Amino acid sequence: GDSWGIFTFLCAALCNLPALPALNCTEELGTSQSIQKTYDLTRYLEHQLRTLAGTYLNYLGPPFNEPDFNPPRLARAERVPSATVDLDLWRGLTDNARLAANYRAYSRLLCYLRALDGQAATAELRHRLGHFCSSLQALVLSIAGVMSSLGYPLPVGPSAPPGTPVAPNDFLKKMDDFWLLKELQTWLWRSAKDFNRLKKKVPPAVVTLRLEARGF
Amino acid sequence: LSLAAPPKEPVLMCRSNNYPKGFYCSWHLPTPTYIPNSFNISVIHGTREMVCEKDVFPKNRCHIQYLQLFSTVKYKVTLTVTNALGKNSTTLTFDEFAIVKPDPPESVVAKPVPNNPRRLEVSWQNPSSWPDPESFPLKFFLRYRPLILDQWQHVELSDGTSHTITDAYAGKEYIIQVAAKDNDIGTWSDWSVAVHATPWTEEPKHLTTEAQITETTSVSTSSFMPPPTTKICDKGAVVGSGAVAVCWTAGLVLAAYGVLFI
């Protein structure tokens, strides 16, 4: 009861960190290289997640660690915006919308993963979660960097989800964790495709123009 | 006389060779039943039941279109086979990303490069079944070896549909294949049809100038021969010091080839 209140508060605090100003770093890089770096980060995280998820699901125990485990999605409030999207809609996303969707999703995911880290029962889990959270934070910052260099405003800092009901029992809490990891995995798969698309649409020339404009 | 039998557990396979459009499933029975069988396939995605449209050809295959992309919920495909003596079924459960496997690259072509005895230029095309290589780029894996060796050499290529091999053994015929994979998800395709090519070789000018004498001592440049110097010299009905010099040269060339392969 009490501990959940604390976690919600921590989440709110962590999630309302001021948006990154840091334009200095990205101007040096160049947008297309920033996009490439962001893409590389998603691939790295996807790889890291395989080990992390394996460890965490084993910690949760059966049936969560069974390969065919395919539970129905319960009608609980969605904590993280889902990666699932209609194909034509996904294709038609503007660069800004595409980046913003990624930024929002990973900011929320980072927040929840940090909460998991706080509760982790074993040293191994704490170590893995801690390492993963650092990498995930780098990804959020990288996306923010790309958005800034393209002149897009960062989405308003995600507040702790207002009415997410606390899981009433241990099993449902584990279910929440299971879906969190699944959503994270799916987002990492999707982001590779998102950043592939962005790579093609943002030529290096764009950066030069923007830097010159900023010079004035 | 074969006894009619109830069906054994069918073998089911599902694959997306046209991502992100959809996937297909195909099935067969491991042993014949000798009586007519009917197949029923069901695809469940979360709470939704989807229709897998049966293909006219090949039989025992159906295809389905994705309604949404990047799904967190698995697909559950159940195949039931029924005949007069009984029924059997099998189920596959998978994530959207796990079954992505493109068809092999098409139109693989390998050509020698003029004036470059150690190069081969290979080019290919995306499989025609892959609908959107712009948004869903493929990466490629090339393997090549001279026919006479068993060991393949491999190159992974993250973009482009061509590659120049620069370390081919001069004068040796090569066998080359290419495979494809979505850049980020799924598994490698099967290997493409194999193509053969031999790097460019210079015409042996010194032999052609002494055409009459060297008629019978022609050295084949496209297939490797062990250095039987005596054999060649024996063949040639040649007399005189000129012929001996040619014999010597041929022997040296073949010895050099031999050394390459030690």
Side-chain angles (χ1 to χ4, degrees), chain B residues 49-67:
Chain B
E49 171 134 18
M50 299 172 79
V51 175
C52 195
E53 284 188 41
K54 290 233 173 112
D55 287 342
V56 172
F57 187 81
K59 272 176 46 175
N60 295 0
R61 183 161 142 162
C62 71
H63 62 273
I64 198 164
Q65 278 196 350
Y66 283 131
L67 299 172

Side-chain angles (χ1 to χ4, degrees), chain B residues 109-117 119-122 196-201:
Chain B
V109 173
K111 291 192 290 210
V113 180
N115 303 304
N116 280 282
R119 288 186 178 217
L120 284 169
E121 210 169 77
V122 191
H196 293 240
T198 308
W200 173 94
T201 47

Side-chain angles (χ1 to χ4, degrees), chain A residues 39 43 46 50 66-73 82-87 90-91 179 182-183 185-186 189-190 192-194 196-197 199-200, chain B residues 19-21 44 46-47 66-76 93 95 97-98 131-137 139 181-185:
Chain A
Y39 169 84
R43 304 291 286 128
E46 194 244 310
R50 286 182 220 168
E66 281 156 23
D68 281 352
F69 184 50
N70 187 26
R73 198 92 194 239
S82 183
T84 313
V85 67
D86 172 73
L87 175 59
W90 177 80
R91 273 217 181 89
W179 282 119
K182 207 78 176 81
E183 204 64 69
Q185 179 185 54
T186 313
W189 277 326
R190 171 173 158 177
K193 298 304 179 205
D194 279 324
N196 252 331
R197 223 173 147 78
K199 256 196 277 189
K200 302 220 159 127
Chain B
Y19 192 75
K21 269 214 184 124
I44 297 176
T47 51
Y66 283 131
L67 299 172
Q68 290 185 307
L69 222 50
F70 315 118
S71 182
T72 42
V73 180
K74 288 185 153 112
Y75 289 84
K76 182 172 160 180
T93 311
D95 279 312
F97 305 99
D132 190 359
E134 270 297 302
S135 302
F136 296 85
K139 62 181 176 184
K181 181 181 170 301
D182 176 275
N183 219 18
D184 313 296
I185 59 179

Side-chain angles (χ1 to χ4, degrees), chain A residues 101-123:
Chain A
N102 274 267
Y103 181 82
R104 275 192 216 100
Y106 289 116
S107 303
R108 282 274 186 93
L109 285 161
L110 178 59
C111 183
Y112 283 111
L113 277 176
R114 279 177 171 153
L116 272 188
D117 190 8
Q119 303 168 271
T122 71

Side-chain angles (χ1 to χ4, degrees), chain A:
Chain A
D2 270 351
S3 52
W4 263 106
I6 293 168
F7 284 128
T8 320
F9 170 75
L10 277 173
C11 226
L14 288 167
C15 296
N16 279 304
L17 285 171
L20 253 297
L23 286 181
N24 313 330
C25 311
T26 52
E27 273 171 349
E28 277 156 39
L29 269 185
T31 313
S32 64
Q33 283 135 301
S34 296
I35 294 174
Q36 178 66 46
K37 184 183 138 212
T38 313
Y39 169 84
D40 292 339
L41 269 169
T42 67
R43 304 291 286 128
Y44 173 67
L45 277 162
E46 194 244 310
H47 193 260
Q48 256 195 296
L49 180 61
R50 286 182 220 168
T51 326
L52 173 64
T55 312
Y56 200 85
L57 292 174
N58 277 331
Y59 164 70
L60 293 181
F64 302 100
N65 58 351
E66 281 156 23
D68 281 352
F69 184 50
N70 187 26
R73 198 92 194 239
L74 300 172
R76 285 164 63 68
E78 231 176 41
R79 298 183 295 168
V80 178
S82 183
T84 313
V85 67
D86 172 73
L87 175 59
D88 289 325
L89 214 123
W90 177 80
R91 273 217 181 89
L93 285 173
T94 61
D95 294 346
N96 188 6
R98 197 178 294 279
L99 285 161
N102 274 267
Y103 181 82
R104 275 192 216 100
Y106 289 116
S107 303
R108 282 274 186 93
L109 285 161
L110 178 59
C111 183
Y112 283 111
L113 277 176
R114 279 177 171 153
L116 272 188
D117 190 8
Q119 303 168 271
T122 71
E124 189 199 1
L125 270 180
R126 273 196 297 278
H127 172 75
R128 287 199 196 280
L129 276 167
H131 184 43
F132 193 88
C133 282
S134 306
S135 309
L136 190 53
Q137 176 168 40
L139 176 61
V140 173
L141 295 179
S142 195
I143 299 171
V146 173
M147 291 186 82
S148 298
S149 75
L150 286 173
Y152 299 137
L154 284 180
V156 173
S159 55
T164 312
V166 170
N169 63 47
D170 198 43
F171 181 81
L172 287 178
K173 166 76 178 65
K174 288 183 178 178
M175 203 59 139
D176 283 348
D177 293 352
F178 172 84
W179 282 119
L180 179 67
L181 290 173
K182 207 78 176 81
E183 204 64 69
L184 176 57
Q185 179 185 54
T186 313
W187 261 109
L188 288 168
W189 277 326
R190 171 173 158 177
S191 294
K193 298 304 179 205
D194 279 324
F195 286 99
N196 252 331
R197 223 173 147 78
L198 285 162
K199 256 196 277 189
K200 302 220 159 127
K201 292 183 73 190
V202 179
V206 172
V207 178
T208 329
L209 282 168
R210 288 196 182 275
L211 288 176
E212 285 167 359
R214 287 219 168 82
F216 295 112

Side-chain angles (χ1 to χ4, degrees), chain B residues 149-162:
Chain B
L149 293 182
D150 287 329
Q151 193 120 24
W152 292 97
Q153 253 162 292
H154 297 103
V155 183
E156 184 167 327
L157 303 153
S158 54
D159 55 39
T161 51
S162 64

